[in-house]
């Protein structure tokens, strides 16, 4: 039910999957025969990160995180809120690369490509800043998701973020 069937082609091969928050469905296409690095698993990981970020509430609140405000000011506060669509994409792409994301030139280029699609004055500079702060974003995301598994921790996080 989650995959797409049909011929091995896509209108936009750079987007082999999608997550629709309205229907809470992930769609993906196995194009690994055409683009070997785009496996169904990497596409599913990417889309599941989008789903988790949206459904958990992290995407609507990460920019208020005191952890990010202390460690990654360039991606927090009002600037983080403004850049949240791009940060969401960068975060999802980073999980496709597992733990080896921080030195991956291909990931950096993907984030630059995504940034070029937004109406930004200096897309490469902003993409590089997001790439340089992915470690902190991922840590904040992981901590947030873990806190949801510990119900009392969510109240601590809300208090920390003035909610």
């Amino acid at each position: 039910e989650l995959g797409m069937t049909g011929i091995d082609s896509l209108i936009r091969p750079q987007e082999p999957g999608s997550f629709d928050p309205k229907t809470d469905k992930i769609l993906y296409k196995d194009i690994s025969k055409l683009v070997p690095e785009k496996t169904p698993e990497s596409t599913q990981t990417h889309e599941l990160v989008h789903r988790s970020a949206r459904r958990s509430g992290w995407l609507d609140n990460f920019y208020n995180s005191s952890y990010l405000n202390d460690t990654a000011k360039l991606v927090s506060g009002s600037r983080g809120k403004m850049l949240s669509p791009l940060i969401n994409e960068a975060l999802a792409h980073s999980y496709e690369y597992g733990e080896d994301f921080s030195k991956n030139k291909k990931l950096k280029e993907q984030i630059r490509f995504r940034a070029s699609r937004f109406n930004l004055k200096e897309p490469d500079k902003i993409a590089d800043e997001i790439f340089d702060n992915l470690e902190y974003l991922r840590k904040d995301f992981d901590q947030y998701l873990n806190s949801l598994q510990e119900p009392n921790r969510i109240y601590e996080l809300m208090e920390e973020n003035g909610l």
Side-chain angles (χ1 to χ4, degrees):
E1 186 180 326
L2 296 177
M4 292 182 270
T5 59
I7 58 172
D8 288 341
S9 66
L10 289 174
I11 294 171
R12 293 182 310 239
Q14 71 273 17
E15 296 179 23
S18 65
F19 165 64
D20 184 349
K22 292 178 185 162
T23 61
D24 193 30
K25 290 204 180 191
I26 293 172
L27 297 175
Y28 68 94
K29 181 84 172 188
D30 180 359
I31 59 166
S32 57
K33 291 177 186 165
L34 302 170
V35 186
E37 65 271 9
K38 283 292 184 188
T39 65
E41 294 80 13
S42 71
T43 301
Q44 290 171 29
T45 298
H46 180 103
E47 299 308 331
L48 284 170
V49 169
H50 283 312
R51 181 179 188 269
S52 299
R54 170 89 46 211
R55 300 259 319 185
S56 70
W58 182 84
L59 191 58
D60 298 322
N61 294 300
F62 77 91
Y63 44 83
N64 293 322
S65 165
S66 58
Y67 170 74
L68 288 177
N69 192 41
D70 292 341
T71 58
K73 290 187 186 313
L74 294 173
V75 294
S76 65
S78 60
R79 190 168 192 257
K81 184 176 183 177
M82 181 186 71
L83 295 173
S84 63
L86 180 56
I87 289 170
N88 185 24
E89 280 302 324
L91 183 73
H93 278 293
S94 78
Y95 277 90
E96 291 181 53
Y97 293 92
E99 297 301 317
D100 297 334
F101 70 92
S102 63
K103 292 184 173 59
N104 194 302
K105 291 179 183 177
K106 193 174 248 183
L107 172 59
K108 193 172 198 172
E109 288 306 312
Q110 284 179 322
I111 296 170
R112 282 181 164 204
F113 170 75
R114 291 290 185 160
S116 73
R117 298 174 71 191
F118 290 86
N119 187 21
L120 301 171
K121 188 174 182 177
E122 298 178 88
D124 286 348
K125 179 183 176 203
I126 292 170
D128 291 348
E129 290 169 354
I130 291 171
F131 179 81
D132 293 342
N133 286 287
L134 272 174
E135 177 184 348
Y136 304 115
L137 287 162
R138 282 178 56 143
K139 186 173 181 180
D140 187 69
F141 180 60
D142 291 343
Q143 286 176 340
Y144 184 85
L145 292 180
N146 286 332
S147 74
L148 296 178
Q149 295 175 17
E150 302 171 32
N152 293 331
R153 179 73 178 115
I154 192 68
Y155 297 113
E156 293 171 21
L157 282 173
M158 290 173 69
E159 189 175 303
E160 286 175 17
N161 292 304
L163 302 173

